[in-house]
């Protein structure tokens, strides 16, 4: 496949703006088209700002464009599954913003769809592709902190209570879907395993989980405790513990820096990412998959998405 990968974006919202900016910084990608189902003028303004050739007032027209080679879905959570199915029907590789799906049953359906249609479907969990994440995984694999014993992850911020996306149940709002997903998938990424047990408690608000605490046990008795929420600020840091040291990752979900400490508490190593917009790593990975004709990521698999959704099912105590 010659030339830059031509991307289409469904949903010109805030997260899509960061993604489009990363496309401009990526040497092998370009924003070709953008579509909004509710506001054609917004799509047109977005296309003009980021240099896209086309703006559409509905999603189908974008998917019908034969020049679109990859699609990024940045719409509200409840629309993801159906839009992914539309992309697959149109033969478009699709990168869908987290959470890709809301239930394990939906994830299993997408797995089957990817296999039957030969369509590349990947959840956009950008944290998995960050150099800082790879650095932390290597430190753990090299035994730099001894045997991995546990981790404490936090991702909570004070959101706008008038936000329908965050606080409306029928739009799949709440802390778990918005930020808890990062904690779940980061823990799986670092352990290289799926949780064998999970327990949680959450604080409901307007029918969604405004704040929650999740405990997960992984093989080898590795324990992850996760705090997540959209009602108040509690940071976004990760502390990873071994029997011979620890790792600190400030704002782990965006992964700009990580620090390795010895058993005596002294700083032994560190990494700082100079990249300004780190969506670029995820885009480069997806572009490679498209060019190679792959139907599954070797990093962000649909099986990982399914297991994360299974955790969703277990901890939705506010229903």
């Amino acid at each position: 496949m010659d030339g830059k990968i031509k991307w289409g974006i469904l949903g010109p919202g805030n997260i899509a703006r960061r993604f489009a900016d990363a496309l401009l910084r990526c040497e092998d990608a370009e924003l070709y088209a953008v579509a909004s189902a509710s506001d054609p003028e917004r799509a047109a303004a977005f296309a003009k700002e980021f240099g896209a050739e086309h703006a559409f007032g509905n999603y189908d027209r974008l998917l019908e464009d034969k020049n679109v080679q990859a699609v990024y879905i940045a719409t509200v959570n409840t629309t993801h599954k159906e839009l992914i199915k539309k992309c697959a029907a149109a033969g478009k590789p699709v990168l869908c913003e987290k959470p890709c799906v809301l239930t394990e049953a939906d994830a299993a359906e997408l797995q089957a769809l990817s296999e039957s249609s030969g369509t590349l479907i990947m959840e956009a969990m950008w944290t998995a592709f960050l150099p800082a994440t790879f650095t932390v995984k290597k430190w753990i694999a090299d035994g730099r902190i001894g045997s991995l014993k546990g981790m404490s992850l936090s991702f909570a911020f004070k959101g706008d209570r008038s936000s329908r996306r965050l606080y409306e149940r029928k739009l799949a709002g709440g802390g778990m879907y918005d930020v808890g997903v990062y904690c779940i998938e980061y823990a799986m990424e670092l352990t290289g395993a799926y949780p064998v047990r999970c327990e949680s408690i959450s604080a409901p608000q307007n029918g969604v989980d405004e704040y929650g605490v999740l405990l997960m046990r992984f093989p080898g008795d590795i324990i992850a405790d996760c705090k997540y929420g959209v009602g108040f600020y509690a940071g976004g840091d990760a502390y990873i513990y071994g029997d011979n040291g620890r790792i600190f990752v400030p704002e782990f979900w965006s992964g700009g820096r990580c620090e390795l400490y010895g058993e005596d508490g002294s700083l032994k190593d560190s990494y700082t990412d100079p990249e300004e917009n780190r969506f670029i790593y995820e885009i480069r990975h997806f572009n490679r998959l498209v060019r190679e004709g792959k139907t599954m990521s070797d990093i962000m698999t649909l099986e990982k998405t399914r297991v994360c959704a299974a955790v969703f099912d277990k901890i939705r105590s506010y229903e």
Side-chain angles (χ1 to χ4, degrees), residues 73-96:
I73 296 175
T75 56
V76 295
N77 297 339
T78 49
T79 65
H80 289 176
K81 187 180 79 167
E82 291 307 313
L83 288 177
I84 290 172
K85 291 168 69 174
K86 281 179 173 286
C87 289
K92 306 293 188 184
V94 56
L95 177 66
C96 182

Side-chain angles (χ1 to χ4, degrees), residues 5-6 41 45 57 91 101 105 114 116 128-129 169 177 222 235 256 272 287 291-292 311:
I5 300 294
K6 295 181 181 296
E41 292 183 0
V101 290
S114 177
S116 63
F129 302 93
R169 181 182 177 125
Y177 286 137
I222 300 169
T272 300
N287 285 348
R291 292 186 188 282
E292 295 177 357
V311 176

Side-chain angles (χ1 to χ4, degrees), residues 167-179:
Y167 278 93
E168 193 162 314
R169 181 182 177 125
K170 68 179 182 180
L171 294 181
M176 176 182 62
Y177 286 137
D178 197 69
V179 290

Side-chain angles (χ1 to χ4, degrees), residues 144 260-264 266-270:
R144 299 286 298 277
L260 172 69
Y261 292 87
E263 191 173 20
D264 61 356
S266 62
L267 180 65
K268 300 296 185 182
D269 206 345
S270 66

Side-chain angles (χ1 to χ4, degrees), residues 14-29:
N14 290 332
I15 194 68
R17 295 182 63 80
R18 294 189 65 186
F19 190 86
D21 176 74
L23 287 175
L24 293 177
R25 300 168 186 268
C26 192
E27 64 283 349
D28 63 345

Side-chain angles (χ1 to χ4, degrees), residues 40-207:
E41 292 183 0
R42 188 181 188 188
F46 191 100
K48 182 178 180 180
E49 179 179 357
F50 292 100
E53 292 185 35
H54 299 281
F56 299 108
N58 65 71
Y59 300 143
D60 289 338
R61 288 192 61 194
L62 184 149
L63 296 177
E64 290 167 359
D65 192 317
K66 297 185 183 302
N67 291 314
V68 173
Q69 297 169 298
V71 176
Y72 173 63
I73 296 175
T75 56
V76 295
N77 297 339
T78 49
T79 65
H80 289 176
K81 187 180 79 167
E82 291 307 313
L83 288 177
I84 290 172
K85 291 168 69 174
K86 281 179 173 286
C87 289
K92 306 293 188 184
V94 56
L95 177 66
C96 182
E97 192 51 57
K98 59 77 196 167
C100 187
V101 290
L102 305 178
T103 68
E104 183 180 11
D106 285 347
E109 183 179 343
L110 291 188
Q111 281 183 295
L113 175 63
S114 177
E115 293 173 2
S116 63
S117 67
T119 302
L120 171 61
I121 300 172
M122 192 181 93
E123 183 176 27
M125 178 51 66
W126 71 322
T127 309
F129 302 93
L130 300 174
T133 301
F134 290 124
T135 299
V136 171
K137 289 172 65 177
K138 188 174 189 309
W139 285 343
I140 294 172
D142 290 347
R144 299 286 298 277
I145 59 170
S147 297
L148 178 62
K149 294 298 183 181
M151 63 190 78
S152 182
L153 312 174
S154 178
F155 193 175
F157 69 99
K158 188 172 184 178
D160 182 355
R161 289 186 179 275
S162 66
S163 170
R164 296 178 64 227
R165 181 183 71 82
L166 292 178
Y167 278 93
E168 193 162 314
R169 181 182 177 125
K170 68 179 182 180
L171 294 181
M176 176 182 62
Y177 286 137
D178 197 69
V179 290
V181 58
Y182 285 100
C183 298
I184 297 168
E185 296 200 8
Y186 192 68
M188 290 196 293
E189 193 67 34
L190 296 193
T191 59
Y194 302 137
V196 295
R197 181 181 177 185
C198 62
E199 299 178 9
S200 72
I201 186 170
S202 62
Q205 181 73 29
N206 297 331

